[in-house]
Amino acid sequence: MYATQALNQLVPLAKEVDDNKVTPGVLGFLVFAALAVGVWLLMKSMNRHMGRIDFEEAPEPASEKTTTSAAAPGKK
């Protein structure tokens, strides 16, 4: 019952909003475009930095012994 009363009071307030006046406009487009350019520049920078990384993972000494003994169980 309380939800119905609240809904009845809020519906007239929603009707007062003019659909033609509520738009993002030029400022909204400029903000969105600036965010898009910023994300693009960050991704470009990240790709450049990731390309500079020279990383070769050294195998663990314990895992080499297990893989060689598991590969050839009868041979030393």
Side-chain angles (χ1 to χ4, degrees), residues 1-24:
M1 185 167 144
Y2 293 112
T4 309
Q5 290 174 350
L7 186 60
N8 288 336
Q9 291 175 0
L10 291 176
V11 168
L13 293 176
K15 296 290 182 183
E16 293 176 10
V17 176
D18 187 14
D19 291 337
N20 293 328
K21 291 183 181 177
V22 181
T23 61

Side-chain angles (χ1 to χ4, degrees), residues 28-48:
F29 173 74
L30 292 176
V31 169
F32 182 77
L35 287 172
V37 169
V39 168
W40 180 72
L41 289 172
L42 284 172
M43 292 294 290
K44 187 175 178 181
S45 174
M46 183 190 70
N47 283 333
R48 186 173 59 240

